[in-house]
Amino acid sequence: MNKLSNQKKGSLLAFIAVMLITPDSIFIRLANIETWGMLFYRGAIPFLVVLTGLIFFYKNNLLKALVNIGYPGIFYVISFSICNITFIISIQNTNVANTLVMIAMAPMLSAILGSIFLKEIPDLKTWIAIIITLISVTYIFHDSIETGNFYGDLFGIITSFGLACNAVIARYAKNRDLVPSAVIGKLCVAIFAFFFVDSFSLIGSDLIIVPLMCIMCVAIPFVLVTIAPRFIPAEEVNLFFLLETIIGPFWVWLIIKEQPSLETIQGGAVIILTIAIHSFLKLRKS
């Protein structure tokens, strides 16, 4: 890993993170636990898993690492907590494709926020990739807007903005370890959801689905996504999330037959091709 360029490190971390996230939507659909119970476990289990890792990594310096997150870390905790909550609310109130299409707006938002707050103006190739993918997302969304739910779609947009803020903050504080911020964020999600949970019991398949989802699709990916912006710009990290726009609905269609529209398939193909070409050009340059 040390022999790789920053571009390759960041791209690899972001790619692995997003591929682990892609089954998240189907796990949410398959779980029988109610929304607030799911939010509680999606906060509590990743909190315990990542905290355990941090204890082994930092040993006696964990408290110092928590303090060192500073003001960027506090803002990261806020945006991280909000987008974790709004994602679940969105996906429970509209179809999977709609939620993921909304999230696909994150690269454009990251580029705008990054150019304003970080003075990192994306290069022409990145702007072209963002514009193409945004057009593809609009094409997908245009067909599904009548069947989607405005409430769910609205929270999907909020999630997208939160992801953009996360990536920009992580990029701004690239010399700080913000993984402790993600841990605190997960704890905040669990505490917030705790007061609304009707039942904490996991029954039947939920005993496997919920812990697996929380570790594989939540804990590990968001550690990687927190680290990736240290090596590549925020909008490039979020470009990888566009892969979930097509792969996430594919898992849902494959297992529970919630079939994506033709527009989702066509737009998704363009998104994947665009990301592949963009990543290839950036890696070749590095």
Side-chain angles (χ1 to χ4, degrees):
M1 190 75 169
N2 291 330
K3 295 181 180 180
L4 299 178
S5 66
N6 283 348
Q7 182 68 43
K8 291 179 180 178
K9 288 178 183 177
S11 298
L12 181 61
L13 289 170
F15 177 75
I16 293 173
V18 172
M19 292 309 295
L20 289 173
I21 291 172
T22 57
D24 195 24
S25 302
I26 185 59
F27 282 140
I28 292 172
R29 280 284 194 264
L30 292 174
N32 297 309
I33 192 171
E34 49 92 23
T35 300
W36 293 110
M38 181 177 295
L39 261 174
F40 172 77
Y41 283 113
R42 284 173 68 94
I45 294 177
F47 166 72
L48 293 173
V49 170
V50 182
L51 179 63
T52 302
L54 289 178
I55 290 172
F56 278 105
F57 182 76
Y58 281 108
K59 298 182 173 62
N60 296 330
N61 295 317
L62 179 58
L63 183 60
K64 182 179 178 181
L66 291 171
V67 173
N68 284 343
I69 63 174
Y71 287 111
I74 294 172
F75 286 115
Y76 191 90
V77 168
I78 295 170
S79 64
F80 185 83
S81 302
I82 290 174
C83 70
N84 272 259
I85 293 169
T86 54
F87 173 70
I88 295 297
I89 295 175
S90 175
I91 214 164
Q92 296 279 33
N93 288 277
T94 188
N95 59 61
V96 169
N98 271 40
T99 295
L100 298 182
V101 162
M102 294 296 97
I103 290 175
M105 295 169 61
M108 177 66 78
L109 295 173
S110 294
I112 295 171
L113 292 174
S115 61
I116 294 172
F117 294 105
L118 305 181
K119 308 304 179 185
E120 287 188 351
I121 309 301
D123 61 21
L124 181 61
K125 290 190 289 294
T126 301
W127 274 120
I128 291 173
I130 289 172
I131 292 170
I132 291 174
T133 51
L134 185 63
I135 293 172
S136 301
V137 163
T138 305
Y139 175 68
I140 294 170
F141 184 63
H142 180 266
D143 178 68
S144 60
I145 192 168
E146 293 182 359
T147 58
N149 184 289
F150 175 77
Y151 182 72
D153 293 347
L154 176 62
F155 277 96
I157 294 173
I158 296 172
T159 304
S160 180
F161 183 76
L163 287 171
C165 289
N166 290 347
V168 171
I169 293 169
R171 180 66 174 172
Y172 170 77
K174 60 184 178 182
N175 294 323
R176 296 176 185 260
D177 183 4
L178 292 185
V179 175
S181 298
V183 173
I184 297 171
K186 283 300 179 183
L187 178 60
C188 291
V189 171
I191 293 173
F192 180 80
F194 176 83
F195 295 101
F196 301 96
V197 178
D198 293 327
S199 173
F200 292 95
S201 61
L202 297 176
I203 303 172
S205 60
D206 283 356
L207 286 167
I208 298 174
I209 290 174
V210 172
L212 180 62
M213 170 183 64
C214 291
I215 295 172
M216 185 181 83
C217 302
V218 181
I220 299 174
F222 280 105
V223 169
L224 300 179
V225 166
T226 302
I227 297 173
R230 296 183 191 176
F231 304 106
I232 57 176
E235 70 274 6
E236 289 186 32
V237 175
N238 278 328
L239 268 176
F240 282 91
F241 274 90
L242 294 171
L243 287 169
E244 191 184 7
T245 305
I246 185 64
I247 300 176
F250 173 76
W251 285 120
V252 175
W253 167 76
L254 186 67
I255 296 175
I256 63 174
K257 308 304 179 185
E258 184 179 292
Q259 186 170 352
S261 66
L262 178 62
E263 285 75 12
T264 299
I265 296 172
Q266 292 172 335
V270 174
I271 287 171
I272 291 175
L273 181 61
T274 301
I275 293 175
I277 294 173
H278 177 269
S279 298
F280 172 75
L281 292 174
K282 295 289 286 189
L283 289 171
R284 187 177 68 174
K285 182 179 177 181
S286 70

